Amino acid sequence: MNMFPEDFAWGASTAAYQIEGGWDADGKGESIWDAFCHRDDSSVFERHTGDVSCNSYHLWEEDLRCIEELGLTHYRLSLSWSRLLPDGTTGHVNQQGVRYYNQVLDGLLARGVTPMVTLYHFDLPQALQDRGGWQSADTPALFDAYARFCFGAFGDRVRLWITLNEPYVCAKLGHEDGLHAPGVRGAAYRVGHHMLRAHALAWHSYDAGYRRAQGGLVSMAINSDWAEPEDADSAEDAAAAARYLAFSLGWFAWPLFVSGDYPEVMRAAVDARLPRFSGVQPAVLGTADFFALNYYTARKVRSVGVDGGAPSMKKDLGAEGVVDPAWPLCGLPWLAVAPHGLRQLLKYIKATFNHPAVYITENGFAQTGPVLMEDGERAAFYRETVGEVAKAIEEDGVDVRGYFAWSLLDNFEWADGYGARFGLFHVDFSDDERARTMYRSGREYAAIISKHRSRSRAHRELTSS
């Protein structure tokens, strides 16, 4: 019988730009995603924007209702840097933004729900982008000041903090490929380095100034596919799969958990273009109190030759990930359904990063095309995925502390706009009221939570009697 720890975190996740709307309401400053979506040459699906989105800035009590209906024990949300600090600095604090997040946090706690708060989920204040953004060596210190402001304003009610969400995506899609805001190319390694420095500064600030009084934990949410050789008998493909993991998961996890530097295979491939950590900077190694993992899919990986020409991350990697034809796709061309990969990745994390406590901070299944409220395939996905997590805990000994579904609500899915729907609740974006209606998959997830929490309570009562 699958048994989860009694204090296991059953959650769902969202992000500020993706759900809040109110893009210029009550003194909020512009973010890079506001600017990116408002460009005349916007590449976002059907030129969608997050201007209103789910309107959670005004409908936050509806979100709390949804959280209660699911029976969540935890809820992961992000703070909008530019809603709190419109120009990105603590020189001007928007008290309306502070009030909004106070209401949400207090509402969660009043309902017995534990918040996990992300400080940065892709939405840098545009005022800081105008000063160089994440390419600037000054931005880590500005992030640290923002983090200290948030620890002081909200830390009395927050015990789980995420500094940065998916720095790989920010660096690769936003600063290498130009597909995400701010639409920059060729600066991924510098950006990733500055994000690691920003995280380390914030972690040390929390450790020195807030941990004793608040008792919280701080980490960074790292995304990764699972990677396995396309040809199981090929040494070249095995090496390519290892590189694939090093250039995604390892890029950010290796400095935090292993060596304080990038994986050796990255150093060997990238050499002078990969920045170095200076001894005068706060240490990066050891600045994660738990492993926060965002997992969506898996890849079969093969080795590929590297032609001449300008350097790029693709050439540095020397590997290509492909979808196994046996894995069904869900909505998006990159999103193969591979719950088994989550268990394999959890085992890899245990073996590679010294058996850390793990929170699965995002995992989900997309729907595209006509809305399907009776989404049986997604309901089955959650059953199978939770089963794989249970096996990782019981059979593989991975210290998994929680699982957060992406997402609570259908929302603005970055370059895919509203064309992809990950929500446990459908949001009617054609309705000014933004009505929220639970999908069948939401009912399934609620039933999973109820079943496992009941089992855990029964087990405790049996063993304590």
Side-chain angles (χ1 to χ4, degrees):
M1 178 176 69
N2 296 145
M3 185 71 66
F4 286 85
E6 188 172 5
D7 60 352
F8 191 82
W10 294 101
S13 298
T14 59
Y17 186 78
Q18 294 179 268
I19 69 166
E20 284 180 4
W23 78 275
D24 62 351
D26 296 336
K28 178 186 173 293
E30 186 180 37
S31 77
I32 56 173
W33 270 96
D34 293 320
F36 190 71
C37 291
H38 293 160
R39 283 167 36 170
D40 290 339
D41 61 347
S42 170
S43 59
V44 175
F45 177 74
E46 295 187 353
R47 301 197 64 186
H48 292 167
T49 76
D51 289 359
V52 180
S53 189
C54 306
N55 200 19
S56 290
Y57 183 64
H58 297 103
L59 300 177
W60 56 272
E61 289 176 294
E62 279 295 291
D63 296 349
L64 295 179
R65 177 188 63 79
C66 295
I67 290 165
E68 277 195 295
E69 282 192 43
L70 289 168
L72 302 183
T73 65
H74 289 64
Y75 176 59
R76 180 179 171 221
L77 68 152
S78 81
L79 308 179
S80 166
W81 189 344
S82 59
R83 192 178 298 285
L84 290 166
L85 308 178
D87 67 359
T89 76
T90 54
H92 171 46
V93 175
N94 178 20
Q95 293 299 333
Q96 289 287 78
V98 175
R99 177 176 176 271
Y100 167 65
Y101 292 117
N102 278 333
Q103 289 176 322
V104 175
L105 292 172
D106 291 344
L108 289 168
L109 294 173
R111 290 160 175 79
V113 177
T114 299
M116 175 183 280
V117 174
T118 303
L119 294 171
Y120 182 81
H121 199 125
F122 301 169
D123 49 351
L124 189 75
Q126 182 61 35
L128 297 188
Q129 183 62 35
D130 294 340
R131 295 165 57 174
W134 285 111
Q135 294 185 74
S136 170
D138 296 331
T139 300
L142 292 167
F143 177 80
D144 180 41
Y146 161 61
R148 284 185 277 112
F149 169 79
C150 294
F151 296 151
F154 309 116
D156 59 329
R157 288 153 292 168
V158 178
R159 299 295 177 267
L160 294 169
W161 291 97
I162 300 293
T163 54
L164 304 161
N165 181 74
E166 297 185 351
Y168 174 91
V169 171
C170 181
K172 176 75 164 56
L173 297 187
H175 296 84
E176 176 77 9
D177 303 334
L179 299 176
H180 278 196
V184 171
R185 296 181 182 272
Y189 295 131
R190 185 186 317 122
V191 166
H193 192 75
H194 289 162
M195 296 188 89
L196 277 164
R197 285 185 54 215
H199 163 82
L201 286 168
W203 186 94
H204 282 287
S205 288
Y206 189 84
D207 195 53
Y210 301 92
R211 191 188 301 276
R212 182 184 296 273
Q214 297 179 359
L217 302 173
V218 181
S219 192
M220 170 193 285
I222 303 173
N223 66 289
S224 182
D225 303 340
W226 170 241
E228 53 195 51
E230 183 180 45
D231 181 350
D233 298 322
S234 166
E236 291 81 6
D237 285 1
R243 287 197 305 276
Y244 191 98
L245 286 170
F247 272 78
S248 52
L249 188 76
W251 184 1
F252 298 96
W254 210 266
L256 300 184
F257 291 94
V258 177
S259 68
D261 195 14
Y262 299 109
E264 293 178 6
V265 69
M266 284 190 76
R267 279 270 172 233
V270 181
D271 196 22
R273 291 183 292 115
L274 192 61
R276 295 189 177 275
F277 293 98
S278 165
V280 301
Q281 298 166 351
V284 175
L285 180 62
T287 60
D289 300 321
F290 56 93
F291 201 112
L293 173 67
N294 292 0
Y295 171 82
Y296 285 91
T297 191
R299 289 292 182 269
K300 297 282 189 178
V301 181
R302 58 188 174 217
S303 180
V304 295
V306 179
D307 299 325
S312 68
M313 285 188 66
K314 183 177 181 179
K315 291 179 181 178
D316 296 336
L317 176 59
E320 180 182 19
V322 298
V323 173
D324 188 320
W327 302 338
L329 295 177
C330 67
L332 300 168
W334 60 270
L335 190 47
V337 180
H340 79 282
L342 178 54
R343 180 184 179 188
Q344 296 305 314
L345 193 56
L346 289 169
K347 290 167 62 176
Y348 176 86
I349 288 168
K350 176 190 174 185
T352 307
F353 302 112
N354 195 29
H355 194 9
V358 181
Y359 285 87
I360 300 160
T361 40
E362 287 184 27
N363 177 246
F365 182 111
Q367 182 185 116
T368 59
V371 175
L372 182 64
M373 296 303 301
E374 291 297 314
D375 54 342
E377 290 184 353
R378 183 155 53 190
F381 163 82
Y382 279 116
R383 286 195 301 272
E384 185 176 352
T385 300
V386 169
E388 292 294 319
V389 175
K391 292 175 188 175
I393 295 171
E394 293 185 340
E395 299 178 25
D396 307 326
V398 184
D399 184 12
V400 184
R401 304 284 180 91
Y403 175 87
F404 290 73
W406 184 269
S407 174
L408 178 69
L409 306 171
D410 289 342
N411 59 59
F412 177 85
E413 285 293 343
W414 308 119
D416 292 307
Y418 302 104
R421 299 179 298 276
F422 282 86
L424 297 164
F425 281 79
H426 172 59
V427 177
D428 185 353
F429 295 108
S430 66
D431 176 9
D432 289 343
E433 299 300 317
R434 296 301 196 263
R436 287 120 159 93
T437 307
M438 193 185 290
Y439 285 105
R440 174 181 172 185
S441 57
R443 300 195 300 273
E444 180 66 32
Y445 187 47
I448 290 169
I449 293 170
S450 178
K451 177 183 72 174
H452 285 293
R453 293 188 73 191
S454 295
R455 280 183 179 176
S456 296
R457 285 193 296 268
H459 183 260
R460 172 175 53 81
E461 291 168 1
L462 181 64
T463 55
S464 62
S465 60

